[in-house]
């Protein structure tokens, strides 16, 4: 004891944050980046240099995807206990839907704008690989995560995050028609298109089950915690993406009677509800900001869902010829770019400083965490 008393304790060495706390929510950064490229390249407005910028942003999303896939593989290899804990955490597990959407979004971007950089044949090949992988993951997640939430998770109230697993097949439904012209005519093309219709229905009806729970949570439980308030915009995802899917179905099957009219009859009311929800969520975000809401990874919810509304409005503008819808798409895209720049700069700053990959704070004694 005397010897121990003579030597002061060794100073604590600060460990550099690694991949242990790198969760599946990081795939939202890839989704949010890819949608900036995809939506910008499909805007019903010709801006000099815009397509070149979109191609560069898509290339960035591809690099981010590859880097994140490698980091997440390392996470599963070195920290399996943490990876399993994520699957059993109702606040984290739904983010596995982001993996599927990231794969499909980057793949779709290869056909939309990536071909300018890598060539048409390479773009088709890349999209085929990422679309198949993302769709398989998306369909798996759409069943597995709700199953785990019913069997293992104990969440006290609904959260917009619950939409992430079930909206993943809708992203495949919206971007799958891009591959139809590159398949052999006949059975192959019809099979893919019918599969996209099926994924549209799967995601739509699952969303219709989830949305009343989310809205009921707000009406009965009050506002979400400050850090979770941005997730309210996740509701826009299935709304904008389903509208996009409906217009893409009409584009991929021009010979189907009333395909364009059906897309408009479906998409216009849905986009109307989306704009109402955007106003409601925006008001809640401003309220949270005034009450001290700081930056968190949930800010990436400001990107991809808004981007789906851009592509939805652009698709409706194409099928109706209405200038009002074209300008709506442009206004939403301006909002998307501003949100992406804000989230990207804050994320880069937090990543370089190590704060975003550090261990979460330990709950104080007496704090109960819902599991």
């Amino acid at each position: 004891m005397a010897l121990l008393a003579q030597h002061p304790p060794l100073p604590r060495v600060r460990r550099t944050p690694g991949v242990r706390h790198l969760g599946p929510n990081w795939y939202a950064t890839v989704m949010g980046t890819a949608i900036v490229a995809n939506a910008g390249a499909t805007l019903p407005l010709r801006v000099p240099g815009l397509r070149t910028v979109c191609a560069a942003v898509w290339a960035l999303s591809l690099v981010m995807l590859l880097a994140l896939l490698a980091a997440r593989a390392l996470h599963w290899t070195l920290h399996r206990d943490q990876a399993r804990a994520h699957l059993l955490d109702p606040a984290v597990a739904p983010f596995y839907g982001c993996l599927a959407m990231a794969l499909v979004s980057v793949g779709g971007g290869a056909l939309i704008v990536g071909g300018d950089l890598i060539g048409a044949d390479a773009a088709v090949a890349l999209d085929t690989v990422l679309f198949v992988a993302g769709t398989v993951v998306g369909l798996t997640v759409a069943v597995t995560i709700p199953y785990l939430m019913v069997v293992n998770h104990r969440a006290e109230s609904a959260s917009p995050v619950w939409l992430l697993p079930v909206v993943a097949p809708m992203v495949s439904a919206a971007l799958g028609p891009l591959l139809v012209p590159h398949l052999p005519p006949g059975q192959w093309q019809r099979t893919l298109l019918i599969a996209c219709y099926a994924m549209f229905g799967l995601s739509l009806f699952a969303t219709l089950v989830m949305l009343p729970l989310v809205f009921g949570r707000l009406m009965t439980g009050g506002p979400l915690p400050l850090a979770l308030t941005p997730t309210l915009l996740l509701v826009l995802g299935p709304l904008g993406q389903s509208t996009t899917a409906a217009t893409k179905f009409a584009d991929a099957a021009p010979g189907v009677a009333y395909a364009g009219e059906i897309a408009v009859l479906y998409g216009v009311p849905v986009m109307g509800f989306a704009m109402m929800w955007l106003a409601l969520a925006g008001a809640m975000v401003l309220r949270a900001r005034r009450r001290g809401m700081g930056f968190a990874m949930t800010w990436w919810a400001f990107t991809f869902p808004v981007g789906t509304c851009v592509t939805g409005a652009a698709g409706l503008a194409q099928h109706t010829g209405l200038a009002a819808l074209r300008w709506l798409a442009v206004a939403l895209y301006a909002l998307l770019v501003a949100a992406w720049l804000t989230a990207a700069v804050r994320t880069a700053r937090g990543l370089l400083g190590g704060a975003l990959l550090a261990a979460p704070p330990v709950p104080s004694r007496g704090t109960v965490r819902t599991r």
Side-chain angles (χ1 to χ4, degrees), residues 209-275:
V209 171
M210 293 290 190
L211 278 181
L213 300 177
V214 174
F215 192 71
R217 156 65 180 85
L218 295 176
M219 297 300 294
T220 60
L224 295 175
L226 296 183
L228 292 179
T229 301
T231 64
L232 288 172
L233 275 83
L234 294 177
V235 174
L236 298 177
L239 303 176
Q241 200 66 277
S242 63
T243 301
T244 303
T247 59
K248 294 302 181 184
F249 292 159
D251 294 340
V256 177
Y258 306 111
E261 289 81 356
I262 293 173
V264 172
L265 288 174
Y266 172 83
V268 171
V270 171
M271 284 299 295
F273 178 71
M275 294 303 97

Side-chain angles (χ1 to χ4, degrees), residues 6-370:
Q6 293 175 3
H7 297 279
L10 295 174
R12 292 185 178 179
V13 179
R14 182 181 178 183
R15 295 184 178 180
T16 303
V19 298
R20 178 170 177 79
H21 302 288
L22 183 73
N25 58 315
W26 278 82
Y27 286 111
T29 65
V30 179
M31 296 161 51
T33 303
I35 198 68
V36 172
N38 297 352
T42 55
L43 274 180
L45 185 67
R46 294 292 173 260
V47 178
L50 177 60
R51 186 172 179 88
T52 301
V53 173
C54 290
V57 174
W58 171 81
L60 174 62
S61 72
L62 177 60
V63 172
M64 292 170 62
L65 175 63
L66 296 176
L68 194 50
L69 287 173
R72 286 287 297 164
L74 192 62
H75 171 84
W76 270 95
T77 301
L78 299 180
H79 307 290
R80 292 185 182 179
D81 60 325
Q82 186 73 2
R84 294 191 186 97
H86 284 165
L87 282 174
L88 298 178
D89 190 335
V92 179
F95 284 98
Y96 274 93
C98 294
L99 167 58
M101 291 184 278
L103 291 168
V104 176
S105 297
V106 175
L111 284 185
I112 295 172
V113 70
D116 295 355
L117 299 177
I118 63 176
D121 292 340
V124 172
L126 179 60
D127 184 32
T128 301
V129 172
L130 294 181
F131 176 79
V132 172
T135 300
V136 171
V137 172
L139 292 174
T140 303
V141 164
V143 176
T144 303
I145 299 303
Y147 171 82
L148 290 175
M149 295 183 73
V150 171
V151 174
N152 293 321
H153 299 168
R154 293 295 180 267
E156 293 179 353
S157 56
S159 164
V161 174
W162 289 10
L163 292 169
L164 290 173
V166 299
V167 77
M170 187 66 79
V171 180
S172 293
L175 293 175
L178 297 177
L179 277 172
V180 169
H182 302 282
L183 293 176
Q187 288 290 326
W188 282 95
Q189 290 186 347
R190 291 200 299 269
T191 299
L192 177 57
L193 196 56
I194 290 298
C196 290
Y197 273 105
M199 289 186 287
F200 176 93
L202 181 160
S203 183
L204 176 63
F205 288 111
T207 298
L208 293 177
V209 171
M210 293 290 190
L211 278 181
L213 300 177
V214 174
F215 192 71
R217 156 65 180 85
L218 295 176
M219 297 300 294
T220 60
L224 295 175
L226 296 183
L228 292 179
T229 301
T231 64
L232 288 172
L233 275 83
L234 294 177
V235 174
L236 298 177
L239 303 176
Q241 200 66 277
S242 63
T243 301
T244 303
T247 59
K248 294 302 181 184
F249 292 159
D251 294 340
V256 177
Y258 306 111
E261 289 81 356
I262 293 173
V264 172
L265 288 174
Y266 172 83
V268 171
V270 171
M271 284 299 295
F273 178 71
M275 294 303 97
M276 183 277 288
W277 190 271
L278 177 60
L280 173 63
M284 297 297 292
V285 168
L286 291 177
R287 174 187 178 276
R289 188 64 174 160
R290 288 196 300 267
R291 283 162 172 75
M293 180 187 74
F295 174 73
M297 289 298 289
T298 52
W299 281 34
W300 282 96
F302 297 144
T303 57
F304 189 82
V306 175
T308 66
C309 292
V310 174
T311 56
L316 290 175
Q318 176 186 344
H319 284 275
T320 61
L322 291 178
L325 287 171
R326 288 198 297 271
W327 287 111
L328 175 62
V330 172
L332 289 172
Y333 188 70
L335 178 62
L336 167 63
V337 172
W340 178 75
L341 287 173
T342 302
V345 170
R346 293 293 193 95
T347 300
R349 186 183 303 168
L351 191 59
L352 292 175
L356 291 180
L357 291 179
V362 179
S364 59
R365 186 173 297 178
T367 301
V368 178
R369 184 180 181 185
T370 303

